[in-house]
Amino acid sequence: MDKEQLDAFYAESARLRDVAKREFVERTHGWHFQLAPEADQWAESHADGDHWSAGGSTMVERADAAGMIRKPEPGRISSAYSHRDMRTEETTHTGFGFWPAAAEALIVHAGRAIPLDALEPPPARGDGAAVLATLRLVVESFATVQPVSGPPGAARP
């Protein structure tokens, strides 16, 4: 990247940060996330089979797409950030984000990341309680939230 392109990139990044902050503050609904009443039944039905083969993040995305996580407005929940061990640089936690459908730049990050072992498949197939516990962890991680923006030109999920 030459200096002109780099300056344009930084300018657009700053603009998107400002837009995301504005979009966050403009929403007066509060950032409340909760499980749907039927989440326990959904968890039981998804505790078997290969639904966990891609990991807990995929299970969370499936639960969200099925309406098992109630969000403050239409949008999508997905893995958004991670924490790494300082020495090994291995990922230790996954943090989730919420992409509101009616936002230009806003991504709402959960205030707490979840340890990877809590997102692992349950040790016994058919353990709906473990699936439900994972979904609860994700919802609880959104008890506090912060606005962020994606990189310029990034596609919104």
Side-chain angles (χ1 to χ4, degrees):
M1 241 187 231
D2 65 21
K3 182 174 177 357
E4 186 176 307
Q5 291 171 319
L6 195 57
D7 288 346
F9 174 83
Y10 287 133
E12 181 62 4
S13 292
R15 185 190 75 78
L16 290 174
R17 271 192 309 278
D18 290 344
V19 169
K21 286 177 189 175
R22 185 190 79 241
E23 289 177 328
F24 185 81
V25 171
E26 286 175 348
R27 286 163 165 82
T28 58
H29 54 54
W31 295 100
H32 304 288
F33 296 78
Q34 62 185 14
L35 287 179
E38 61 276 13
D40 57 340
Q41 296 163 344
W42 186 91
E44 283 296 329
S45 70
H46 284 77
D48 280 331
D50 295 326
H51 299 288
W52 278 97
S53 62
S57 293
T58 299
M59 179 61 74
V60 170
E61 291 171 6
R62 288 181 179 162
D64 178 45
M68 296 303 109
I69 301 175
R70 301 280 167 88
K71 303 168 294 249
E73 63 183 85
R76 185 172 172 268
I77 292 176
S78 186
S79 173
Y81 64 95
S82 64
H83 291 196
R84 298 179 188 274
D85 181 277
M86 290 182 350
R87 289 184 317 241
T88 65
E89 295 192 19
E90 290 184 21
T91 299
T92 59
H93 293 68
T94 294
F96 288 86
F98 171 62
W99 283 258
E104 177 186 346
L106 179 62
I107 305 166
V108 178
H109 275 191
R112 185 172 45 91
I114 299 170
L116 287 184
D117 61 352
L119 294 170
E120 293 285 321
R125 291 175 79 85
D127 190 351
V131 173
L132 191 59
T134 298
L135 297 179
R136 279 195 182 109
L137 280 173
V138 172
V139 167
E140 290 166 3
S141 75
F142 281 99
T144 60
V145 297
Q146 60 184 351
V148 297
S149 62
R156 294 182 60 84

